[in-house]
Amino acid sequence: MATAKEIAEFLNKELKIYDVEDNSCNGLQVDNQEGITKIGFAVDACLDSFKKSSETGCQMLIIHHGLIWEGLKSIKGNTYNQIKFLMDNNLSLYASHLPLDKHEKYGNNIQLANLLNLKNVKEFGYHHGSPIGFMGELETEMPLTEIKKVLTENQMKDLSLNFGKESVKSIAIVSGGGCGELTQAINAKVDLYLTGEPLHYTYHLAKENKINIIFGGHYETETWGVKALMPLLKEKFNVDVEFIDIPTKI
């Protein structure tokens, strides 16, 4: 039976967590004191995901948005309550933020590129000098309405700025809070930029540069990476796995 530390060491290497600058403290954030027979997978470190993981018999939770960012300054208030719950329930916590956005096999962005069957996929969206997204092309042009249909059928939001062509071929993707990379999508001359949540300034920037944007939801575009890890760890460590769905509607 594997321990949380052993699983974390495997993931650290597999996800290359030290290869990207990140304000998340990626890796094993909270340890536990027993072997792991079941792992939960969720987007956010929050009491809801902790409680549901514990209720479903998990001894470890792997999440995208971790509990510890830029180091702990104190353990009080909400942080105290969260850490106390994890320790009282012997639930370990592992986080992978940007490494799980950018990973070329298990990452949120490559999973979205695969969903859309993009071809000629290459790195896109530089953050602190490291690419975290991907861009590519559809095999043939597709109406924007059809792309929206594919996304909404896969539980993503239908919120968009339609300032570009009605049919698109080239698409750039940065999941979650990727509005900061919109200028890079414009410079790359793609027809469509897919990201998670909107920021106000993107309206005029997109309109003046005649580009389409789909905001699929911060949460909804970032379930993909943790879900992609589930079969990997199930096979590698012979554990049960479960996706802990705590949607935020944001």
Side-chain angles (χ1 to χ4, degrees):
M1 186 183 302
T3 66
K5 287 182 180 178
E6 290 170 337
I7 294 170
E9 287 171 359
F10 170 78
L11 284 174
N12 291 348
K13 183 177 180 181
E14 191 72 26
L15 298 177
K16 297 175 273 195
I17 68 167
Y18 304 113
D19 290 358
V20 59
E21 183 179 344
D22 196 351
N23 61 355
S24 171
C25 297
N26 296 309
L28 187 62
Q29 295 190 341
V30 179
D31 203 354
N32 74 349
Q33 294 182 330
E34 63 182 61
I36 307 299
T37 61
K38 185 173 182 179
I39 303 174
F41 297 77
V43 175
D44 299 309
C46 60
L47 281 175
D48 282 346
S49 61
F50 299 167
K51 289 176 180 178
K52 190 170 181 180
S53 296
S54 182
E55 289 168 0
T56 55
C58 299
Q59 302 89 28
M60 186 174 193
L61 178 61
I62 294 171
I63 46 87
H64 180 52
H65 299 134
L67 178 63
I68 303 172
W69 300 80
E70 298 179 339
L72 280 173
K73 305 294 190 298
S74 63
I75 303 176
K76 59 185 180 181
N78 199 51
T79 301
Y80 170 82
N81 293 333
Q82 291 175 327
I83 292 177
K84 185 176 187 301
F85 183 91
L86 291 168
M87 297 184 71
D88 286 349
N89 291 275
N90 211 21
L91 180 64
S92 61
L93 183 71
Y94 181 95
S96 181
H97 182 228
L98 292 183
L100 194 55
D101 283 319
K102 74 187 295 292
H103 196 273
E104 67 277 6
K105 183 175 181 180
Y106 303 111
N108 290 311
N109 295 309
I110 196 65
Q111 292 293 319
L112 291 169
N114 292 340
L115 173 68
L116 295 171
N117 294 314
L118 295 189
K119 312 298 181 185
N120 304 317
V121 174
K122 58 183 180 181
E123 294 174 338
F124 166 82
Y126 282 78
H127 179 79
H128 294 302
S130 178
I132 57 173
F134 291 93
M135 61 182 292
E137 296 179 338
L138 299 166
E139 191 165 347
T140 59
E141 282 196 4
M142 182 183 295
L144 186 60
T145 53
E146 289 300 311
I147 296 172
K148 290 181 183 181
K149 184 178 178 181
V150 171
L151 296 176
T152 55
E153 286 175 347
N154 284 275
Q155 288 74 56
M156 277 173 273
K157 288 184 169 63
D158 183 12
L159 176 61
S160 62
L161 297 174
N162 307 329
F163 294 130
K165 299 189 298 183
E166 292 184 2
S167 290
V168 306
K169 186 166 186 180
S170 56
I171 302 174
I173 304 170
V174 175
S175 63
C179 276
E181 284 67 51
L182 174 57
T183 299
Q184 295 182 52
I186 292 168
N187 291 338
K189 301 185 185 305
V190 296
D191 301 323
L192 169 65
Y193 182 46
L194 171 60
T195 187
E197 64 184 81
L199 289 174
H200 180 76
Y201 77 89
T202 57
Y203 179 92
H204 294 291
L205 184 59
K207 184 177 182 180
E208 291 168 13
N209 287 278
K210 298 179 175 58
I211 186 173
N212 298 304
I213 311 177
I214 293 177
F215 304 103
H218 195 133
Y219 179 87
E220 289 83 357
T221 59
E222 296 197 325
T223 63
W224 297 81
V226 289
K227 285 181 178 179
L229 293 176
M230 292 171 64
L232 171 69
L233 296 186
K234 180 180 177 67
E235 180 178 354
K236 174 69 178 178
F237 294 102
N238 191 30
V239 293
D240 292 329
V241 295
E242 183 168 342
F243 178 63
I244 308 298
D245 192 16
I246 310 289
T248 62
K249 299 182 180 180
I250 295 176

